[in-house]
Amino acid sequence: MTSEQHLAPLRMPDRLFAELAAGGGSAAAVAFLERAERARRLLLLRTLLDDLRALPTPLTPVAEAWRVLKEAAEKSPEPVERLLLAPATGGWMSHMLRRVHGTASGPPLWAETGHLSALALSASLHAGTEASLDVPLTSGRLPLPGLGMVQLPDAEDGLSVGRAMTAGGELTVTGPGRTTGSVRVTCRPLTQRADAGGGTWLPLRTLTHTRPGGGAPVTVVLEDLDPYRDLDDHLPPARLDEDEAREWQRLFGEAVRILARPGTPGPGRVDPAMIRAIVPFGRTAVSPPPPPFVQVSASSGDSFGGMLIVRPASALALAETLVHELQHSKLAALLHLFPLLEDDRAERYYAPWRTDPRHLTGLLHGAYAFTGVAGFWRDRLAGAEGDEAVERAAYFFALRRLQSRLAVRTLLTSGRLTVQGRALVSGLARTLDGWLREPVPHAALTRARTAAALHRTEWRLRNVDPAVEPPSDGPRFRPDRASWPDVRTHAFATRPAAPHTADEHLAAGDAAAALARYAGQLAADPAEPHALAGWIVARAVLDPGRETRRMLARPELLQPLPSG
């Protein structure tokens, strides 16, 4: 990053686009996307600086903070580039532009603008330059992007203005005290470890793992301090306790080993070095969800390579989530480069992994992410040992390839894809069509098809209004529709050894026993969606004729359970 940026036009080579369109992407393809994100961030930053120059502020003006940042970049470009490309930096830029345009909220605008000074201080420390900047303090806290956080002891509560000075890698921060006078801290953020008892300096946490066969270790930020680590909102720091941090390290190390499968890069194969930051969401140390669930994970197009995750109970679930969220990052970067579709943002499309209707962009994101997830389970199936591992991997591979192909078909027939969008989605279709021809153990394949049919049937029963004839642009939805628990997708992953419930009998392959139990449930409530979906699918398994095909196509038209 030099003082005068001349951004050359970016042209993605056809071979890299083809890799990404297939659902994968080599290190070279991801590096190209990162270069494109760098150019985008510089443009956003220039726009933001223009918007903020006239902002009244008690802090150092943005022009001076920008000068400090540029000076550091000229002396030590690599660490400043890392700061620029950090997921949280992208989140801050986009959040600030939304603040300027009145579409986001947060602390006083001058205080959020002061994050540029914090970036400049981090850059100055890396470069060994000298700087003196007025900065915002929140109860004496000053986050330093990419380094950690300074905490002034006995500092004034709430928002205040402090002074931060750097020289030769040393940082001194001064701010108002809680009673009278001022308080001061001096530290060396590049080399200093945490103070005993978590005192005045909290260093950045990282997750590390040595690659199998040697080579440079994988290092990913475990971000619990940066105020822009969330997908949009400004957040206070939420320092993980030591036990929780160690558990994240253990799971990450095991997840990296799971992902370290040799072979040509493709969908589902992720080099963890492509991940820039993991933001732990919530605390699950006492009772994490059982495998393979991950309760929450998310990413943002503003924060390339970053992902927010509730810590799962198993490394396998974490590995799958890393694949899923990196797929979202890659597609978001592609959407910044190419107009892939025309989306009116109307939520009218069925997404096989959601309980609510989705807009077209959301469907594209899901199709791309779950193609990667299907590839992840395909690799697990190839290396699975033991009947249970084979059954689980085969089920999820069969389910996710089927669901992704259904979404891809919707996208291709929507008439809303651009030339580049059609090329991308056609690449996904070729990948999935090849996988659909690959053999999968029959029992797992049957459960996957059944689970997919159950989800679509229950989705229509709960969402689609049967009293309204569907127009050409999609179904009309029930005014009373609400979120509902999808308990079947994971429940059907293994064959129950001793089935009792209707769902368990259906998962075990006994559709007749399942049908009888669903009928018993419907006797009390003929329109209950979960039981009615099960009854329709069980009936279709036993009698796969024209009538049941019609019921599967438009289950919402079915009246209360007929007799017999």
Side-chain angles (χ1 to χ4, degrees):
M1 187 170 69
T2 62
S3 58
E4 294 295 331
Q5 289 294 330
H6 299 286
L7 299 177
L10 284 165
R11 182 178 180 84
M12 177 177 282
D14 290 343
R15 64 179 179 82
L16 297 185
F17 185 86
E19 290 177 9
L20 293 164
S26 62
V30 175
F32 184 94
L33 294 177
E34 195 164 59
R35 288 198 302 275
E37 288 296 295
R38 175 188 183 275
R40 177 177 181 268
R41 289 192 185 183
L42 288 173
L43 290 171
L44 291 178
L45 188 55
R46 167 59 68 87
T47 302
L48 184 59
L49 289 173
D50 290 342
D51 288 337
L52 295 176
R53 287 187 193 279
L55 176 73
T57 176
L59 308 178
T60 300
V62 294
E64 173 62 12
W66 175 238
R67 185 197 66 76
V68 171
L69 189 61
K70 286 197 301 180
E71 180 186 4
E74 289 165 357
K75 186 173 181 181
S76 297
E78 288 189 11
V80 181
E81 287 288 302
R82 289 197 298 271
L83 280 174
L84 177 69
L85 290 171
T89 302
W92 170 73
M93 289 179 188
S94 296
H95 172 78
M96 285 299 295
L97 286 168
R98 288 190 283 270
R99 286 293 314 265
V100 167
H101 290 92
T103 58
S105 60
L109 186 57
W110 64 263
E112 295 210 87
T113 301
H115 193 69
L116 179 63
S117 292
L119 283 163
L121 290 168
S122 290
S124 176
L125 289 164
H126 280 293
T129 59
E130 294 185 6
S132 182
L133 301 172
D134 292 323
V135 293
L137 302 176
T138 303
S139 298
R141 299 190 300 267
L142 174 63
L144 290 175
L147 291 174
M149 185 175 71
V150 176
Q151 297 185 128
L152 297 179
D154 299 317
E156 180 181 290
D157 292 332
L159 192 61
S160 63
V161 176
R163 187 78 172 169
M165 296 179 289
T166 64
E170 186 174 83
L171 172 71
T172 299
V173 181
T174 306
R178 183 174 291 120
T179 53
T180 59
S182 62
V183 290
R184 173 179 294 190
V185 163
T186 297
C187 56
R188 301 189 68 86
L190 293 175
T191 58
Q192 186 170 328
R193 296 187 176 184
D195 301 330
T200 58
W201 173 244
L202 294 177
L204 186 73
R205 291 195 191 276
T206 58
L207 301 170
T208 59
H209 181 72
T210 303
R211 297 172 185 271
V218 175
T219 301
V220 173
V221 172
L222 184 64
E223 185 58 82
D224 57 1
L225 295 175
D226 195 291
Y228 300 97
R229 65 192 184 275
D230 190 41
L231 302 184
D232 184 19
D233 294 334
H234 179 284
L235 287 180
R239 190 64 162 178
L240 298 178
D241 59 47
E242 292 298 327
D243 288 343
E244 181 76 356
R246 278 193 292 269
E247 187 62 11
W248 268 105
Q249 176 61 65
R250 181 188 70 80
L251 284 172
F252 178 75
E254 293 179 11
V256 170
R257 284 191 287 272
I258 290 170
L259 292 170
R261 180 175 175 83
T264 304
R269 294 188 177 178
V270 165
D271 181 352
M274 297 173 180
I275 299 164
R276 298 289 173 257
I278 294 173
V279 178
F281 183 83
R283 304 294 174 88
T284 57
V286 177
S287 56
F293 291 99
V294 173
Q295 288 182 325
V296 174
S297 71
S299 53
S300 167
D302 298 328
S303 306
F304 182 80
M307 49 195 72
L308 181 151
I309 305 174
V310 166
R311 178 174 63 80
S314 75
L316 184 65
L318 179 58
E320 180 188 11
T321 304
L322 298 180
V323 170
H324 182 114
E325 295 304 336
L326 190 60
Q327 290 288 98
H328 282 304
S329 277
K330 290 189 297 181
L331 182 64
L334 281 170
L335 283 163
H336 290 157
L337 286 171
F338 304 106
L340 298 179
L341 72 173
E342 299 171 1
D343 189 3
D344 60 7
R345 309 299 287 184
E347 297 187 335
R348 66 169 70 95
Y349 298 97
Y350 169 65
W353 37 81
R354 300 275 300 205
T355 63
D356 55 338
R358 293 292 280 158
H359 48 66
L360 210 59
T361 302
L363 189 65
L364 177 59
H365 261 287
Y368 198 79
F370 278 98
T371 297
V373 170
F376 170 83
W377 286 109
R378 177 173 178 260
D379 282 345
R380 306 289 77 72
L381 178 58
E385 297 179 358
D387 292 345
E388 183 176 349
V390 169
E391 280 288 301
R392 181 175 293 277
Y395 168 82
F396 280 112
F397 172 48
L399 178 67
R400 297 313 189 191
R401 71 183 182 181
L402 176 62
Q403 291 176 325
S404 299
R405 189 59 179 89
L406 178 59
V408 162
R409 184 179 69 182
T410 302
L411 289 161
L412 288 172
T413 58
S414 69
R416 293 178 176 269
L417 296 176
T418 64
V419 172
Q420 297 93 341
R422 180 163 286 276
L424 178 79
V425 178
S426 295
L428 296 179
R430 285 190 292 274
T431 295
L432 294 164
D433 287 344
W435 288 350
L436 284 165
R437 291 190 289 269
E438 293 183 5
V440 171
H442 179 73
L445 178 62
T446 299
R447 290 199 312 278
R449 289 173 173 169
T450 301
L454 285 166
H455 185 279
R456 182 186 178 278
T457 302
E458 187 166 355
W459 183 91
R460 291 194 69 93
L461 289 172
R462 291 184 181 272
N463 286 289
V464 178
D465 189 342
V468 178
E469 186 66 23
S472 59
D473 62 346
R476 288 292 180 260
F477 297 109
R478 298 170 59 106
D480 61 341
R481 72 183 191 276
S483 179
W484 49 280
D486 172 23
V487 298
R488 284 164 163 154
T489 292
H490 287 280
F492 275 60
T494 56
R495 185 181 188 276
H500 296 289
T501 67
D503 279 359
E504 289 172 351
H505 279 288
L506 192 55
D510 190 347
L515 187 69
R517 283 164 175 76
Y518 289 130
Q521 296 171 26
L522 291 169
D525 184 356
E528 200 285 311
H530 185 87
L532 185 55
W535 185 89
I536 291 170
V537 172
R539 178 73 179 270
V541 170
L542 292 171
D543 181 19
R546 181 178 299 176
E547 180 183 349
T548 52
R549 286 199 300 271
R550 283 199 298 265
M551 282 196 300
L552 286 172
R554 296 286 308 280
E556 66 276 8
L557 298 180
L558 190 64
Q559 297 301 313
L561 179 65
S563 59

